[in-house]
Amino acid sequence: MDIQLLPDPGHPAGGYAVLQFTSDGSDASVELMIRDLRKDLWLTPGGWRTEQSAAGVFEVIDAGGGWRQIRLGPDVVDQIDPDSYLEIRIRSGTARAIWPDSIHHSPPEASSGTFDPGGRPDPALTGKPTSGDLRVSPPEPESTPEPSPKPTSPEPEIPKDELKTAQPKRNLFLLVLLIVIVMAAAAYLAWQIFDQPTPPEEVAGRADCSEEGFRGRWSDSFDDQFAALGDCLGEVSGTTALRVLDSGVAAENPNALYIYAQLYDGTESTGIPVTFEPNLARATEYYARAKAAGNADAATDLERVCTELTPEEDLLHESVFADYCR
């Protein structure tokens, strides 16, 4: 039995996955068993157990080409860590696989609630006095006599000589104001001539590199999203870049698979603002998948990483070498 583990395209935020397997059966549902080979534990709806158990019974749909698939929800996805080495059993078929880190756990949900600091009801709302609450009416303030109005003094007369000296100051202020207005008008005219903004038709041709712009492309093809990612390198966040790559990996796009392999390989710069912990086994798997999907450069890299594996020392390397290097 061959299997593929993919993130569910309908839930890009995480928490869901698709398990595809080869089968000639036509059962409407199957029992799924998942065993962590490193920990020797079995997954159940209530968590991991040492006894052999089933993760549940799942509805099966036809995926075409001899493949069938089941949909895994948060009760399964959230309990499995990335890079877990798993044994998967469906009916009489058994296969081993590494849980891909392109399948994310469910996003944390913000909890809401209210806090009552007093811990008891407000008597004004219930109409009942609170025990031990003594209500004392505050004393009425004593009336104080209004202060008598202050006598108004007559405004002093301004001598005629002072009026004559104030006139030149006013003229000087008007002159300065006129100079400022002329300078502002000249600056605006220079901006209009030499610093015109980019025409709207040129702006419309550029990719929107904001987070909102990429969220609006989730329904587009991976090729369109990947082209926008290339135009926005240096402006887009690592989280957004990873979501674009994940959509390509879920669709078995050769370019996305090859970039994932390079990120795990750690030997070449991809230009993508994402870094992975080097993992030779995962790099081998993704190079093999990229080669199978049609990437022309993946074959050479696959041969190289296969020579770097140590199957005689590592159980995981032994399994990966048997699956992808022979």
Side-chain angles (χ1 to χ4, degrees):
M1 179 180 70
D2 295 328
I3 64 170
Q4 293 184 22
L5 292 166
L6 308 170
D8 190 337
H11 296 81
Y16 292 83
V18 174
L19 169 59
Q20 295 184 345
F21 59 97
T22 55
S23 173
D24 54 1
S26 58
D27 297 339
S29 60
V30 293
E31 183 181 62
L32 173 66
M33 303 179 73
I34 300 177
R35 178 190 177 196
D36 190 317
L37 293 174
R38 292 195 182 102
K39 301 176 182 177
D40 195 19
L41 297 175
W42 297 82
L43 182 62
T44 70
W48 293 94
R49 294 184 181 179
T50 56
E51 302 85 5
Q52 179 173 330
S53 308
V57 178
F58 298 85
E59 181 182 356
V60 182
I61 63 173
D62 186 11
W67 290 86
R68 311 197 75 202
Q69 71 179 29
I70 59 178
R71 184 165 172 260
L72 307 178
D75 54 337
V76 173
V77 174
D78 291 348
Q79 298 191 67
I80 303 178
D81 296 326
D83 293 334
S84 296
Y85 189 33
L86 306 175
E87 181 181 81
I88 296 176
R89 300 182 184 181
I90 300 175
R91 296 190 305 180
S92 59
T94 302
R96 293 185 177 184
I98 302 172
W99 188 264
D101 55 7
S102 59
I103 300 177
H104 306 300
H105 288 179
S106 301
E109 297 181 358
S111 59
S112 61
T114 57
F115 175 66
D116 181 10
R120 56 182 181 179
D122 187 350
L125 299 178
T126 60
K128 298 180 181 180
T130 304
S131 175
D133 184 12
L134 301 179
R135 299 181 178 270
V136 180
S137 301
E140 297 182 359
E142 297 181 0
S143 59
T144 56
E146 297 182 0
S148 57
K150 296 182 180 180
T152 57
S153 58
E155 297 181 357
E157 296 184 1
I158 302 176
K160 295 182 179 181
D161 293 340
E162 294 185 10
L163 291 176
K164 292 179 181 180
T165 57
Q167 188 68 24
K169 294 182 180 179
R170 181 180 180 185
N171 293 339
L172 179 61
F173 172 76
L174 293 176
L175 178 61
V176 172
L177 181 61
L178 179 61
I179 293 174
V180 171
I181 293 174
V182 172
M183 292 178 64
Y188 177 76
L189 181 61
W191 177 81
Q192 287 287 334
I193 296 175
F194 300 108
D195 194 18
Q196 284 290 344
T198 305
E201 58 271 13
E202 295 183 16
V203 175
R206 297 176 55 194
D208 185 356
C209 298
S210 66
E211 299 292 325
E212 187 64 29
F214 273 91
R215 278 196 292 269
R217 297 188 187 95
W218 293 144
S219 59
D220 295 347
S221 66
F222 172 75
D223 290 337
D224 292 339
Q225 296 184 50
F226 190 70
L229 181 62
D231 293 339
C232 295
L233 286 181
E235 301 180 53
V236 68
S237 68
T239 301
T240 298
L242 193 58
R243 287 182 177 176
V244 173
L245 290 177
D246 284 347
S247 66
V249 169
E252 290 294 307
N253 181 276
N255 293 329
L257 293 169
Y258 186 68
I259 291 176
Y260 248 78
Q262 289 180 310
L263 290 172
Y264 277 117
D265 194 355
T267 59
E268 300 181 19
S269 175
T270 62
I272 304 295
V274 178
T275 56
F276 287 173
E277 187 73 21
N279 189 319
L280 192 58
R282 299 308 304 276
T284 304
E285 175 194 348
Y286 279 104
Y287 277 135
R289 291 171 61 183
K291 175 185 175 183
N295 186 280
D297 300 323
T300 303
D301 290 297
L302 178 61
E303 291 181 5
R304 173 178 53 82
V305 293
C306 282
T307 62
E308 298 174 5
L309 292 171
T310 55
E312 66 281 356
E313 300 176 5
D314 189 296
L315 178 63
L316 179 57
H317 283 201
E318 179 184 0
S319 175
V320 169
F321 188 86
D323 290 340
Y324 305 115
C325 299
R326 291 180 178 175

